[in-house]
Amino acid sequence: MRALTPWTFLVVPLAFLVAFSYVPIVNMVVYSFTDWDGISPDYTFTGLDNYTEIFTRRELFEVFLTSLYYLGASVIQIVLALYFAMVLSFNLRFRNLFKGIIFFPYLVNGVAIGFVFLYFFQPGGTFDTFLGAFGIGGGHLWLGDPDLVNYSLAGVSVWRFLGLNFVLFLGGIQSIPSELYEAAEMDGANRRQIFRHIVAPMLRPLIGLSTILAVSGSLSVFEIPYIMTGGSGNSETFVIQTVKLAFQFNKTGLASAAAVVLLLLILLVTWVQRRLVPDRRTEIS
């Protein structure tokens, strides 16, 4: 009975996990081999036709180019998060206030953020007014110009997800024994040298985790561009395209195949990253 006790507490969460995660994934894989329209109770198995269509239709994969904007934004996001975490790990005035300001956007619902920035990027709106204070005039179509829209949306993603990486890095920095900092300061090391020889090696696993999250997030971005532009003006992502295939064009089988491809691609990227940068503790130099 003692051995069964832990499982009695796990029955309910495991049941929810299977019912709402694993079963839908299995159904998605099954539907990817059919021509199901998402409405009719009947469907026909088509083999690999959906996957063949995905890999032979160029426009279905061109949307991955949009992910490059978010990948570049993720790099900026990681660098900024690491910088702020390093600065705010020292004893500064109002550092708790600044921590809250940086982390707060991550707590806000993504839909609310999308609507807020819709007004922020309106021609002649808040952002144009801010730029006008520095002599940069003109009502730019930040969300309507195909050359600007992805930069605007990627900037919103940096603002929203900066807090997540910031908290991860800050926790990692604060977990480093204080004796290492004291020894480095006694040896005359400045903050740049402390970061290079102590902080960076100790944060290597967290930086690897942030890289995985950045790549997978840039491939599966959906919420912000869908709310703000609906995928128009060259801002369509692979997930937005998949949703349109399922619910706008009633091609649920093809959309399921696209979702499976995206899942496999994220798993492949994660595996490659883990092979190139193994998760092992780095010795401090």
Side-chain angles (χ1 to χ4, degrees):
M1 292 297 296
R2 182 176 297 179
L4 294 176
T5 299
W7 291 101
T8 59
F9 292 96
L10 292 174
V11 168
V12 174
L14 286 176
F16 279 110
L17 179 65
V18 171
F20 296 104
S21 293
Y22 295 141
V23 172
I25 290 175
V26 172
N27 287 337
M28 179 182 67
V29 174
V30 173
Y31 292 147
S32 69
F33 296 100
T34 70
D35 61 354
W36 190 41
D37 59 5
I39 301 176
S40 173
D42 301 321
Y43 52 81
T44 304
F45 282 92
T46 59
L48 297 176
D49 289 351
N50 290 327
Y51 293 95
T52 303
E53 184 174 356
I54 290 174
F55 287 103
T56 54
R57 287 177 57 181
R58 181 179 177 182
E59 64 272 14
L60 295 181
F61 260 83
E62 283 182 344
V63 292
F64 274 120
L65 296 177
T66 306
S67 299
L68 297 178
Y69 293 93
Y70 296 94
L71 184 60
S74 297
V75 174
I76 298 174
Q77 173 184 302
I78 292 174
V79 172
L80 289 177
L82 192 55
Y83 172 78
F84 287 126
M86 187 67 186
V87 171
L88 295 178
S89 64
F90 295 98
N91 291 323
L92 299 176
R93 294 184 62 185
F94 307 112
R95 65 172 182 171
N96 290 330
L97 174 63
F98 290 118
K99 290 177 184 178
I101 292 174
I102 294 174
F103 185 66
F104 174 74
Y106 184 70
L107 301 177
V108 181
N109 182 271
V111 176
I113 290 178
F115 282 114
V116 168
F117 276 92
L118 274 175
Y119 295 98
F120 182 80
F121 284 119
Q122 278 187 347
T126 306
F127 193 47
D128 281 336
T129 302
F130 173 77
L131 294 178
F134 296 93
I136 305 176
H140 300 87
L141 296 175
W142 298 105
L143 300 178
D145 188 342
D147 296 328
L148 296 176
V149 61
N150 287 315
Y151 291 104
S152 303
L153 297 175
V156 176
S157 69
V158 171
W159 182 81
R160 187 193 176 194
F161 295 105
L162 175 64
L164 175 61
N165 287 319
F166 167 74
V167 169
L168 290 176
F169 292 146
L170 184 64
I173 292 174
Q174 292 179 343
S175 67
I176 299 175
S178 59
E179 293 82 2
L180 295 177
Y181 294 122
E182 295 172 359
E185 291 175 355
M186 291 180 62
D187 290 338
N190 55 34
R191 291 187 178 182
R192 181 178 298 178
Q193 292 170 328
I194 290 175
F195 173 79
R196 178 181 177 184
H197 298 286
I198 296 179
V199 176
M202 296 291 284
L203 291 185
R204 182 175 178 178
L206 286 178
I207 294 175
L209 173 62
S210 296
T211 303
I212 292 175
L213 294 176
V215 175
S216 61
S218 63
L219 292 174
S220 58
V221 64
F222 169 73
E223 201 171 45
I224 290 175
Y226 187 76
I227 294 298
M228 297 182 65
T229 65
S232 62
N234 291 337
S235 64
E236 187 175 64
T237 63
F238 191 79
V239 178
I240 293 177
Q241 177 182 258
T242 301
V243 170
K244 288 183 177 180
L245 287 174
F247 300 105
Q248 185 173 338
F249 301 107
N250 294 330
K251 295 184 177 181
T252 305
L254 182 61
S256 298
V260 172
V261 170
L262 179 61
L263 175 63
L264 294 177
L265 183 59
I266 292 176
L267 292 176
L268 176 62
V269 170
T270 303
W271 179 81
V272 170
Q273 193 276 337
R274 302 294 286 180
R275 295 289 293 178
L276 295 178
V277 186
D279 185 11
R280 62 175 182 271
R281 192 176 183 86
T282 305
E283 296 295 333
I284 298 176
S285 59

